Amino acid sequence: MSINWFPGHMNSTRQAIKDRVKAGLDVVIELLDARLPGSSSNPLLAALTTGRPSLKVLNKQDLADAAQTAAWLDFYNAQPHTRAIPLDAGEKTPARALIKACRELAPLRGDIHKPLRVLICGIPNVGKSTLINTLVGKRAAKTGDEPGITKLEQKFVLENGFYLFDTPGMLWPRISIEQSGYNLAASGAIGRNAFDEEEVALELITTLKRRYPEQLQARYGLTELGAEDAVLEAIGLKRGAKVRGGAVQMHKAAEALLIDYRQGLLGRITLETPDEMAAWRREAAEDEARKAAERDAAQAAEKVKRNGRRKASSGEA
Ligand code: GDP
């Protein structure tokens, strides 16, 4: 799938993160979408924060499959210097679990003399603003006043010796895994004009048929699940996506399904498992390696051809 989406502010965000690392950083919070905890993660972040301990917050867990959230928590908790917790950003009391996990990741910091400096990051729409509002309440944000720190960085004092930093803009990885693109689009993380809703809805139906068929049937009163486009058409019929004359407008049906999914009306659904994600990553890496090898071979062949032409035109044998 092609995603025509240009991540604005990407370079300034990278720079802001680098500046924060230089100025002092003890823990990185990466906010993930619990419905797609692999695809919503950004591999660049670990590289930029050079191995700082990481807290993965699986947000929107109220929309995700609880058993899958448990599997993803185990997956991330098994990684070195990493801890993972589930969260609903709008909850009244997420602060305690989050602060406790950060303190455990950096036990030597966290008093007034050696404050614990925590950076929060996440892809668009993952719930960062909601979480910060819940954590900070009415407390005012201070903008960066340390030398070398962008004025746009915000600093919140959550409690004595606990500073939360928020960088402007978003980090967005190159989406090299096709299924990640579909899952991100279905979740609402990508602007709607940047992808084909029908294509994304058909992919979503494939996943739902495989993993949550009963929920799909129950939501739309379907007695059976046929091919993807037939299911989408049936959804369109139920959701009033018909034009005059009776035909279903497939893009309207697609839109209806995506809205329902995002609002949790199909129930709690997670789009990917840790094993699937690992397999997709492997396939994407193999694919990249194959393409690079093909590119190299084409360049080498082109060079041989050029040399041949040069020799011929200079009269060499
Ligand atoms: P940001 O782009 O990361 O700052 O995301 P926002 O904080 O603006 O949230 C994006 C949308 O997700 C909003 O409609 C929020 O109400 C919703 N949202 C955020 N956190 C949660 C959550 O834990 N559960 C659910 N169901 N919705 C959430």
Side-chain angles (χ1 to χ4, degrees):
M1 182 183 63
S2 70
I3 294 179
N4 305 310
W5 197 72
F6 182 75
H9 307 299
M10 181 84 161
N11 286 335
S12 61
T13 304
R14 271 190 216 197
Q15 193 53 50
I17 294 173
K18 282 187 196 162
D19 289 348
R20 175 43 43 213
V21 170
K22 246 189 253 159
L25 175 64
D26 304 305
V27 174
V28 182
I29 297 178
E30 186 174 20
L31 211 51
L32 303 175
D33 188 324
R35 299 168 298 169
L36 46 151
S39 296
S40 57
S41 166
N42 190 320
L44 257 182
L45 187 59
L48 286 172
T49 53
T50 56
R52 296 295 194 285
S54 170
L55 174 65
K56 309 284 185 194
V57 173
L58 271 61
N59 192 40
K60 305 197 183 186
Q61 63 103 12
D62 54 311
L63 298 175
D65 177 339
Q68 288 304 329
T69 300
W72 277 103
L73 291 173
D74 287 348
F75 170 80
Y76 280 122
N77 278 319
Q79 295 184 358
H81 315 298
T82 306
R83 203 161 271 241
I85 57 169
L87 203 79
D88 300 347
E91 263 174 34
K92 285 278 180 293
T93 53
R96 290 262 64 81
L98 190 137
I99 290 173
K100 181 167 171 273
C102 288
R103 287 197 183 281
E104 283 167 5
L105 281 165
L108 299 180
R109 311 257 343 166
D111 57 38
I112 317 169
H113 308 293
K114 279 195 195 165
L116 184 55
R117 297 150 302 178
V118 178
L119 176 68
I120 185 163
C121 294
I123 64 165
N125 210 39
V126 73
K128 193 167 84 161
S129 320
T130 308
L131 178 59
I132 290 176
N133 282 342
T134 314
L135 287 171
V136 172
K138 292 205 169 25
R139 258 169 287 195
K142 272 203 246 163
T143 46
D145 49 7
E146 295 166 54
I149 288 295
T150 157
K151 291 273 173 283
L152 295 172
E153 179 184 70
Q154 289 195 298
K155 172 181 171 185
F156 306 97
V157 181
L158 292 195
E159 52 181 44
N160 279 343
F162 194 110
Y163 299 166
L164 183 72
F165 294 97
D166 182 25
T167 53
M170 302 288 173
L171 256 195
W172 195 263
R174 195 156 64 95
I175 301 172
S176 57
I177 299 174
E178 188 172 36
Q179 196 60 45
S180 285
Y182 287 124
N183 291 354
L184 285 160
S187 75
I190 299 174
R192 60 181 299 208
N193 295 325
F195 60 89
D196 181 324
E197 287 186 315
E198 206 174 313
E199 199 185 340
V200 171
L202 290 171
E203 272 302 319
L204 178 59
I205 292 173
T206 303
T207 305
L208 295 174
K209 269 174 64 178
R210 189 160 42 88
R211 307 260 309 277
Y212 302 95
E214 285 104 18
Q215 283 167 247
L216 181 58
Q217 284 181 280
R219 167 74 188 151
Y220 299 106
L222 307 174
T223 46
E224 58 177 42
L225 293 174
E228 275 67 5
D229 48 358
V231 173
L232 187 55
E233 195 171 356
I235 292 172
L237 278 175
K238 293 277 173 196
R239 295 285 263 99
K242 274 196 293 188
V243 283
R244 238 189 269 151
V248 168
Q249 283 187 293
M250 295 296 261
H251 74 273
K252 284 235 164 103
E255 211 174 81
L257 172 64
L258 293 178
I259 289 172
D260 286 358
Y261 173 65
R262 289 172 192 157
Q263 293 184 347
L265 299 179
L266 286 115
R268 299 178 63 165
I269 286 170
T270 299
L271 296 175
E272 56 198 33
T273 67
D275 287 348
E276 273 171 336
M277 192 67 211
W280 296 338
R281 284 220 171 96
R282 262 197 314 275
E283 282 163 25
E286 282 164 13
D287 204 40
E288 292 234 332
R290 190 177 44 73
K291 281 191 191 135
E294 282 169 7
R295 237 183 355 254
D296 289 350
Q299 275 171 2
E302 183 57 32
K303 202 168 160 194
V304 168
K305 239 203 270 172
R306 256 199 328 265
N307 283 344
R309 275 201 301 268
R310 192 167 43 79
K311 280 184 187 166
S313 69
S314 67
E316 287 176 44

